[in-house]
Amino acid sequence: MRRKAGLAALALVAGLGIAAAFTSPPALLSLADGALGGGSGASRPGSAIPFGNQGQTLDVWRPAGDSAAKRPVLIFWYGGGWVKGDRRAYAFAARAFAKAGFVVVVPDYRKVPDVRFPAFLQDGAQAVKWTRDHVAEFGGDPGRIALAGHSAGAYTVAMLALDRRWLEAEGVDPGIVRAGVGLSGPYDFYPFTAKRAIDAMRGVADPAMTQPLHFARADAPPLLLVTSGGDTVVRPHNAINLATRLRALGAPVTLRNYPERTHEEVVMALSVPFRGKAPTLADSIAFLNTALAPR
């Protein structure tokens, strides 16, 4: 028995090693997650579903073998510095939340250099509109929608939750956002120093209008902001400064800092292979279950 388990583990490692030559790191992580049990308990009833007016597509995940209606809904945006990423590569994140009882929508969005600010926010708002209009077809409750994302995806979460313009432009009531989870997101990063931020925000007349911190408001939906002491990509001051501003205004905000974790490890901890790295999933689910409790 032990020998068979060892051979299976070696086969998995070898297979993942071969796949690594052809696959992005998040996609490789999704393969490992699925092989180690993350693939059981979640299903994907919708794949490459068109939305918006720019040829965007999204996937929908939910608990496997479950017919319950009106489940809480989570829209998850992946990161990638506004220049890369693919919804399919983040199956590990979608499955983790689906297995916890959520209907999960994972949209793609346009990237730099083909577009710049605010195209990715417009795509995000159109994904919220699609979710409002169609998530009930997959068992989701359009009255209980939360947003979540990592890195550049967390930026979209914060901007859609705080700056009413983007949802209103799509004919969506900003109040539809019941809560937001931002993992390692940039919220206070002007002046722009990183190349990706410079490229993504190039040409903006008023840089303040790109900063989630600028739109902090007392009536913001509850936000969970997760950062980590080892994050040298999007440094902790982003989450700390936004949380401080929201608290001063009386808005509901929760700040979590995982001291030793890196930028990547915060989101990797949603996967089965790295779940022990940080309580990202447990903290997110506890927060969402409270924020999305039926009224």
Side-chain angles (χ1 to χ4, degrees), residues 92-267:
F92 71 89
R95 290 190 296 239
F97 286 109
K99 290 168 70 170
F102 296 86
V103 173
V104 185
V105 177
V106 185
D108 273 324
Y109 54 94
R110 291 171 290 166
K111 315 292 193 307
V112 176
D114 295 332
V115 300
R116 291 188 169 83
F117 177 92
F120 28 84
L121 297 180
Q122 293 165 339
D123 291 355
Q126 290 180 3
V128 175
K129 181 179 181 178
W130 181 94
T131 302
R132 180 198 67 182
D133 294 344
H134 297 285
V135 77
E137 300 165 19
F138 298 89
D141 182 354
R144 290 194 291 160
I145 295 175
L147 315 180
H150 175 250
S151 196
Y155 174 80
T156 292
V157 170
M159 288 295 281
L160 295 184
L162 298 175
D163 183 357
R164 297 179 178 91
R165 292 178 298 164
W166 310 111
L167 291 176
E168 288 177 345
E170 297 299 329
V172 177
D173 179 357
I176 199 172
V177 178
R178 289 274 300 271
V181 176
L183 307 176
S184 310
Y187 315 119
D188 179 19
F189 57 101
Y190 182 76
F192 308 129
T193 56
K195 182 180 187 306
R196 288 184 174 179
I198 293 169
D199 291 343
M201 307 300 164
R202 182 171 293 148
V204 174
D206 183 359
M209 303 304 282
T210 68
Q211 301 297 289
L213 187 76
H214 178 77
F215 296 99
R217 51 189 173 88
D219 60 344
L223 295 179
L224 169 63
L225 303 178
V226 175
T227 186
S228 55
D231 190 344
T232 59
V233 179
V234 178
R235 295 184 183 275
H237 76 265
N238 283 274
I240 293 169
N241 291 357
L242 180 57
T244 300
R245 177 73 61 84
L246 287 167
R247 282 176 183 154
L249 294 169
V253 60
T254 302
L255 178 67
R256 291 280 184 270
N257 190 334
Y258 306 150
E260 301 302 321
R261 301 283 67 89
T262 67
H263 182 76
E264 295 80 11
E265 285 172 335
V266 168
V267 70

Side-chain angles (χ1 to χ4, degrees), residues 2 28 53-54 91 98 112 116 125 132 142 145 185 277 285 292:
R2 205 174 277 178
L28 184 62
N53 56 19
Q54 298 294 327
V112 176
R116 291 188 169 83
R132 180 198 67 182
I145 295 175
K277 283 281 187 181
I285 290 171
L292 296 178

